[in-house]
Amino acid sequence: MIPEGDGRIIGYYGYPRRSLLAGARAAFGAELPLVDLDIDYGAPDAGLLPKATCSIITNIMNNAVWLSGRLAVVVAAVGEDKCDGGRNIAWLLKGMGFNVVESRFTGGGAGRPLVWSTSAGPLAERIDRIMETVVEPEPRGAAAQGPGTSGAPRRETGAIAAPPRCEPTHGFWGVPPNDFSILGLFPPTTHIYGWTRCVEAGRPDDLDLETFVDPGVPTVFFTQSFCAKQNLAHYLAERHGGLEVDCHREINDSIMAKVEAFIKLS
Amino acid sequence: MLIADCGSTWTKILDTGSGKLEIIKTRDMVKRRDLHFDVATGHSAKGRCAVFRNELIALAEGALALVPDPDFSVVDVGGRDVKFVRFRDRRVDKLDWNLSCGSSTGATMELLGNYYEIDFRTLPPSADWINVTCGVFGMEKVLEQVSTGTPAEESIAMFLHGIVRNVYDFAGRPETLHLSGGFCENGCFLKTFAGYCDIKPLGRAVPLEGLKAK
Ligand code: SF4
């Protein structure tokens, strides 16, 4: 959420390197809140992008213009971990006078074990937890999964314990949707795949992980309209007998009905 | 029990007690305040029934009730949408539902047919087709064909052929395809489709069978 008032904030989008977020805080104020500009907070339409633009990219532009007086800096994911839209919007924001720091993942990295992608529980809540890991390395409740990668016991960082791993009955593949209402249709035993899983794994640029799904799990391949990930979703849905769904801004009744039918019938 | 499939153009109402099937225009159905269904599906059914069922689920369950094969595909071409379900071992293997594009639906064809007074039951199929990338653009192409001397019947048969190709692609180009909906009564559509695959009309009451099945 956006803190109330007119205090300074640090904006970011995608999954920027934590060292760059830490650097932004060191430069502009350790106490400055971090605000994810990908999210629709109800900012007015700045009217600066074509209508046929991914909603997430449009959110970034609208949020930046709306919050321009408060943004100390924008830490922008511009590499293979995001998309050309992320790179182009950083260039546009720089040209508009915003202070922009670019972030690129270049492969490798230690990665992190999956917790929320493969456990049971409300899907929207688990995706929220995963996206929190962009700025908060340890998923809340990760202690419930035992030792971390270092072998040391995990620190419990939040009030909600991670549920244990479950066998998947369904799958959700994709980025966190602009409109979360679609997520309420999925049963708690839905595993999370695609870019959202990559975020939890700390490997947002890993295309092999992004295109992985468990064979035989009925999966909805979700993309925002006008996103290049539609190519992947189309291919993977054909290959795995899944359902391909793309949506522009709000999810409409017919998309809900299609997903509901797929979940009930598969 | 009164069950209904309230499509965008036609509403099919079945009294399961007497077995009487009534098919009325949806625009007339919505005016009848007395009509209330026990179970219903379709675009216009919400608020007019005790139990509302998802259209794709009704189609899938109706097809399973009518087709004994373990593996088969069914497509329902409606006025404003097209639905597709493929079964393997009588379990859903793939489904899709296109509501956002008129390139493979019936409304535009009905408009053209009414305008040019075409009887689709007797209209001869055309070996040629118009690329119907969009219902409205396709309609423009028909008007253009007619204005440049192609008979209206031939132009509309070409338009219909373009729709058939889109539906065939939407259904994943199967060898055999079961058809649900009003196009089961469209001879030109069936003959044109037969050039692509073995098309098996199931009639207009497939979703009603699905409502009965539960
Ligand atoms: S949904 Fe696709 S196009 Fe939109 S921001 Fe994400 S990666 Fe880029």
Side-chain angles (χ1 to χ4, degrees):
Chain A
M1 291 310 293
I2 300 171
E4 284 183 8
D6 54 7
R8 303 275 276 169
I9 54 177
I10 294 170
Y12 70 91
Y13 61 80
Y15 184 165
R17 290 181 168 279
R18 291 215 183 83
S19 57
L20 294 176
L21 288 173
R25 276 185 148 160
F28 295 98
E31 77 295 345
L32 290 198
L34 295 168
V35 172
D36 185 352
L37 301 177
D38 295 291
I39 295 173
D40 182 358
Y41 301 107
D45 182 6
L48 295 173
L49 299 176
K51 295 279 177 238
T53 300
C54 157
S55 300
I56 310 289
I57 296 296
T58 306
N59 289 344
I60 296 168
M61 176 59 91
N62 291 348
N63 286 330
V65 171
W66 187 43
L67 298 167
S68 56
R70 299 178 63 187
L71 278 170
V73 62
V74 176
V75 186
V78 299
E80 289 180 8
D81 44 298
K82 183 79 169 169
C83 59
D84 278 352
R87 191 159 63 99
N88 297 347
I89 211 88
W91 186 86
L92 292 176
L93 292 176
K94 271 193 266 180
M96 292 161 68
F98 285 89
N99 187 12
V100 177
V101 173
E102 293 190 345
S103 167
R104 287 180 177 80
F105 271 79
T106 49
R112 292 193 304 254
L114 300 174
V115 176
W116 297 99
S117 296
T118 52
S119 61
L123 183 58
E125 198 176 289
R126 287 186 288 130
I127 289 181
D128 264 342
R129 296 282 172 275
I130 290 172
M131 295 318 293
E132 284 173 12
T133 67
V134 173
V135 292
E136 175 63 60
E138 196 101 4
R140 278 196 276 158
Q145 295 297 299
T149 44
S150 65
R154 282 183 181 275
R155 185 170 51 93
E156 179 70 9
T157 54
I160 303 168
R165 187 186 189 284
C166 73
E167 283 307 310
T169 60
H170 294 82
F172 171 86
W173 181 99
V175 298
N178 180 60
D179 178 350
F180 264 39
S181 61
I182 193 174
L183 303 177
L185 296 172
F186 289 80
T189 44
T190 299
H191 275 197
I192 298 166
Y193 302 99
W195 187 79
T196 312
R197 175 178 284 220
C198 292
V199 169
E200 183 170 26
R203 287 147 51 196
D205 58 338
D206 186 338
L207 192 56
D208 289 333
L209 180 60
E210 185 170 359
T211 51
F212 169 82
V213 291
D214 286 302
V217 176
T219 298
V220 173
F221 293 86
F222 173 85
T223 53
Q224 293 297 145
S225 305
F226 315 116
C227 171
K229 292 185 192 299
Q230 283 181 282
N231 302 340
L232 301 177
H234 183 76
Y235 172 79
L236 293 170
E238 284 296 316
R239 183 164 154 198
H240 295 284
L243 179 70
E244 182 190 354
V245 171
D246 78 285
C247 174
H248 188 31
R249 291 206 74 84
E250 283 76 35
I251 308 270
N252 59 28
D253 282 355
S254 48
I255 291 177
M256 295 288 269
K258 185 157 87 165
V259 173
E260 179 195 23
F262 179 77
I263 289 170
K264 284 205 177 143
L265 293 169
S266 54
Chain B
M1 193 167 71
L2 210 54
I3 62 178
D5 171 15
C6 309
S8 54
T9 315
W10 296 97
T11 291
K12 287 74 73 179
I13 305 167
L14 179 71
D15 183 333
T16 56
S18 66
K20 184 177 164 234
L21 175 69
E22 191 186 359
I23 300 180
I24 58 174
K25 284 224 156 89
T26 297
R27 67 163 188 249
D28 297 331
M29 185 277 290
V30 295
K31 286 183 205 147
R32 283 174 56 182
R33 300 248 171 254
D34 60 310
L35 265 183
H36 194 82
F37 310 112
D38 296 293
V39 187
T41 187
H43 184 54
S44 311
K46 282 186 181 156
R48 293 189 174 83
C49 57
V51 177
F52 177 79
R53 298 280 304 284
N54 181 306
E55 291 166 75
L56 204 47
I57 295 176
L59 173 69
E61 288 178 347
L64 282 171
L66 293 169
V67 181
D69 306 353
D71 303 339
F72 68 97
S73 297
V74 62
V75 69
D76 183 290
V77 184
R80 65 181 271 279
D81 66 352
V82 53
K83 307 180 200 76
F84 162 68
V85 189
R86 185 173 72 206
F87 298 90
R88 192 155 288 154
D89 285 333
R90 298 190 69 74
R91 289 176 56 87
V92 171
D93 174 54
K94 185 160 176 58
L95 58 78
D96 208 348
W97 189 355
N98 181 356
L99 292 113
S100 51
C101 166
S103 63
S104 30
T105 59
T108 324
M109 201 160 6
E110 195 159 320
L111 273 175
L112 284 168
N114 287 342
Y115 184 70
Y116 288 107
E117 297 178 339
I118 301 292
D119 183 350
F120 284 106
R121 286 168 305 182
T122 55
L123 180 71
S126 171
D128 298 325
W129 66 85
I130 286 171
N131 266 334
V132 187
T133 47
C134 153
V136 176
F137 291 164
M139 190 156 68
E140 276 179 9
K141 283 186 193 160
V142 170
L143 300 177
E144 198 180 295
Q145 292 270 348
V146 174
S147 69
T148 53
T150 311
E153 288 77 8
E154 171 68 6
S155 304
I156 289 173
M158 287 166 69
F159 177 86
L160 182 148
H161 193 155
I163 296 264
V164 162
R165 289 172 62 85
N166 292 346
V167 173
Y168 180 58
D169 280 344
F170 183 71
R173 302 188 174 195
E175 285 177 15
T176 302
L177 182 60
H178 292 81
L179 178 69
S180 157
F183 279 100
C184 291
E185 294 165 8
N186 185 319
C188 185
F189 188 84
L190 295 175
K191 282 184 202 141
T192 308
F193 227 120
Y196 290 89
C197 70
D198 182 14
I199 186 87
K200 296 189 166 177
L202 294 175
R204 302 177 77 170
V206 181
L208 289 177
E209 286 297 326
L211 298 184
K212 267 201 285 180
K214 281 277 153 155

